[in-house]
Amino acid sequence: MADGERPCAPVRQAFWLVIGALTLAATQAVAAAVLLARFGTTHRAHGTWSVAEQAQVDSVHGRLAVAVILGTGIAVLLGGAALAVPRRTTATRTAVAGAALFAGTALLLGVTLAADNALLAAGADELADLEQLLPVWFSALASGVVTGVIVLLTAALLRMGRDPAVDYYHHRGPAAPWRGFTSWHDIVNRP
């Protein structure tokens, strides 16, 4: 990397960290949408459900819908934050930090509404029946996404707080190497 580009490295790294967090949130939303789409078929294939099981099934269905909405909303929010990262204004870091704080809080609050929290099986047989609707891999994915998004956004904010990034956001002189967002092609193909 040339010396003239070094001050931009933290900004570019922060951009890609936010994109990574967006990808994780979108992955959870897609996984929840897939489970929600096949929910009815899986529910009918199982046969009869007891009253207690049906209450849990209804709760899992509703919580999967919440997971789709929450994941999609956070992905859209992080998409906006990613577009803001390269913008050369003094308010950029505040806007990205606000989006990161909101996304992290929403994800942590979403943990209480997670679909696996609805599973209160009385025994191993009942748990096996309910796991047909909500596989264990989804619970692991949801936990990993929450942790990953928070870690990636924290790393992005730390990168944006480094001295070269601070100079980038505060100085608009002609010697500044990366002049902000011009097109996706410029960001993706940047050396």
Side-chain angles (χ1 to χ4, degrees), residues 28-88:
Q28 181 181 0
V30 167
V34 167
L35 288 176
L36 196 59
R38 69 181 194 118
F39 195 86
T41 306
T42 307
H43 181 264
R44 284 187 300 277
H46 176 66
T48 59
W49 296 86
S50 69
V51 174
E53 287 177 330
Q54 187 60 46
Q56 291 180 55
V57 166
D58 293 340
S59 182
V60 167
H61 186 265
R63 289 172 187 232
L64 280 174
V66 168
V68 170
I69 293 167
L70 182 66
T72 303
I74 289 174
V76 169
L77 175 71
L78 292 178
L83 289 175
V85 168
R87 297 196 51 92
R88 284 192 96 152

Side-chain angles (χ1 to χ4, degrees), residues 166-181:
V166 171
D167 290 342
Y168 171 82
Y169 289 118
H170 287 285
H171 301 294
R172 295 184 184 204
W178 192 31
R179 290 175 180 78
F181 181 76

Side-chain angles (χ1 to χ4, degrees), residues 6 18 20-21 30 32 59 64 94 189:
R6 284 190 188 268
V18 173
V30 167
S59 182
L64 280 174
T94 304
N189 295 321

